[in-house]
Amino acid sequence: MQLSTTTVSLTVDDVAASRDFFVRHFGYKTTVEADGFASLSHEGPAVDLVFLARGIEVLPPDQRDQHAAGLILAFTVTGLEAEQERLRAEGAPITMPLREDPWGERLFQTKDPNGVVVQLVEWVTPAGDAPESAD
């Protein structure tokens, strides 16, 4: 199998609110749009996004009323502090402030208006794992 694109499809209550959030704060572009549907892409190596309105009849009946929940959409970035400050200045809610985990993952979270969790991550070498110098 040769993959050409990766897309995450999320069922939300307000498609326009999610679309606008990702366009404004993360540089996505709307590529296709219809009633209850928006497809977004990004110039960089980011995953494409599709937002579907809850209850939309194009989904199988057992999926129509599900809501994007329990999912974290994680983007790996550089300059994590600057990204947190940029998002804060743009009015995006910072729902989990910047922290660093012992294994070297630095991260913070925001949420779109439909509750989709977006986590920005930057990887660092944990202090105990720094390479030894050759003296």
Side-chain angles (χ1 to χ4, degrees):
M1 172 181 10
Q2 182 176 353
L3 300 176
S4 61
T5 305
T6 300
T7 305
V8 172
S9 180
L10 302 168
T11 306
V12 296
D13 290 322
D14 186 344
V15 170
S18 285
R19 177 203 61 213
D20 293 348
F21 182 85
F22 282 88
V23 166
R24 177 175 183 205
H25 298 299
F26 294 100
Y28 276 85
K29 305 273 188 248
T30 304
T31 55
V32 180
E33 194 168 20
D35 189 34
F37 171 84
S39 178
L40 285 67
S41 64
H42 197 279
E43 288 180 12
V47 65
D48 288 349
L49 301 173
V50 167
F51 294 103
L52 295 168
R54 281 180 57 176
I56 195 165
E57 292 187 9
V58 299
L59 289 171
D62 66 331
Q63 296 176 20
R64 289 181 189 161
D65 290 317
Q66 292 181 3
H67 182 269
L71 171 107
I72 296 175
L73 188 58
F75 297 136
T76 302
V77 300
T78 57
L80 195 62
E81 290 90 352
E83 291 298 332
Q84 179 176 261
E85 291 312 310
R86 176 187 64 80
L87 287 166
R88 189 184 319 267
E90 292 175 358
I94 304 302
T95 55
M96 184 180 78
L98 192 130
R99 72 173 201 220
E100 184 170 330
D101 290 327
W103 51 86
E105 180 182 29
R106 299 179 69 231
L107 61 129
F108 72 90
Q109 292 180 347
T110 184
K111 284 186 185 176
D112 90 338
N114 286 294
V116 175
V117 177
V118 182
Q119 180 169 292
L120 275 71
V121 177
E122 185 174 48
W123 292 93
V124 296
T125 303
D129 293 342
E132 293 180 26
S133 62
D135 292 326

